[in-house]
Amino acid sequence: MPRQTTFAKTGEIEPQWLHVDAAGKTLGRMATTIATRLMGKHRPQWTPHVLCGDFVIVTNAQQVVMTGRKLEQKAQLVYSGYPGGLKAHKYSDLIEKQPERIIEQAVRRMLPKSRLGSEMYRRLKVYRGAEHPHANQKPAELVC
């Protein structure tokens, strides 16, 4: 007798809370692990049209590591839409001013570009320092 594929239904999967300490972690490798957890692809019940992922808390965003000379060479491009409105912000400056944005951007670009992807992205919480306001959820440690 052939097995039947089971699909998860909305609200059927209980999300977990996970904590990642970004201190000393490589940005890209950490972002792929986080994106996989947000999408729920680590679960055997993963279903493409249902939100199956977990909540992920990232702390110590300021201490994330980029390999090679990316910190000095890589830049975030922001375009206003007007002629001459292109601005380039080096990642070395962004790490000091807005380290949360670097991690958020890396993870967001790995998620699906849909309404479901937006819901997944809302489950990501990134903080500059070691403290976070989600202690009541008792997050489990996630090794990246």
Side-chain angles (χ1 to χ4, degrees):
M1 181 168 206
R3 288 188 166 186
Q4 289 214 335
T5 304
T6 57
F7 290 104
K9 285 151 187 77
T10 306
E12 201 174 90
I13 295 175
E14 191 66 34
Q16 292 180 327
W17 282 80
L18 303 167
H19 174 255
V20 176
D21 186 11
K25 302 268 175 57
T26 307
L27 176 65
R29 293 174 188 269
M30 181 182 67
T32 54
T33 306
I34 293 170
T36 304
R37 290 298 179 136
L38 289 172
M39 287 187 276
K41 288 205 167 186
H42 63 288
R43 296 180 188 266
Q45 309 95 327
W46 176 77
T47 308
H49 63 278
V50 177
L51 187 60
C52 308
D54 299 327
F55 287 88
V56 180
I57 304 161
V58 182
T59 56
N60 293 321
Q62 201 162 20
Q63 299 172 16
V64 74
V65 175
M66 297 178 84
T67 58
R69 295 179 54 203
K70 290 187 195 117
L71 212 55
E72 299 90 34
Q73 291 178 344
K74 193 169 178 171
Q76 176 193 36
L77 299 176
V78 181
Y79 184 57
S80 67
Y82 291 96
L86 183 66
K87 294 179 186 173
H89 304 288
K90 286 189 177 181
Y91 271 65
S92 56
D93 298 334
L94 282 176
I95 272 262
E96 293 172 12
K97 295 177 186 170
Q98 299 169 321
E100 304 92 0
R101 185 175 286 183
I102 293 174
I103 296 174
E104 288 170 354
Q105 233 179 31
V107 173
R108 183 175 215 163
R109 290 172 178 175
M110 294 180 188
L111 295 176
K113 280 57 172 181
S114 63
R115 277 185 241 150
L116 192 59
S118 298
E119 285 185 45
M120 292 172 189
Y121 177 68
R122 280 187 221 118
R123 291 182 167 203
L124 175 66
K125 318 290 183 195
V126 184
Y127 299 98
R128 177 184 299 242
E131 290 83 34
H132 62 84
H134 306 287
N136 289 342
Q137 280 75 27
K138 298 181 182 77
E141 282 297 318
L142 177 62
V143 179
C144 294

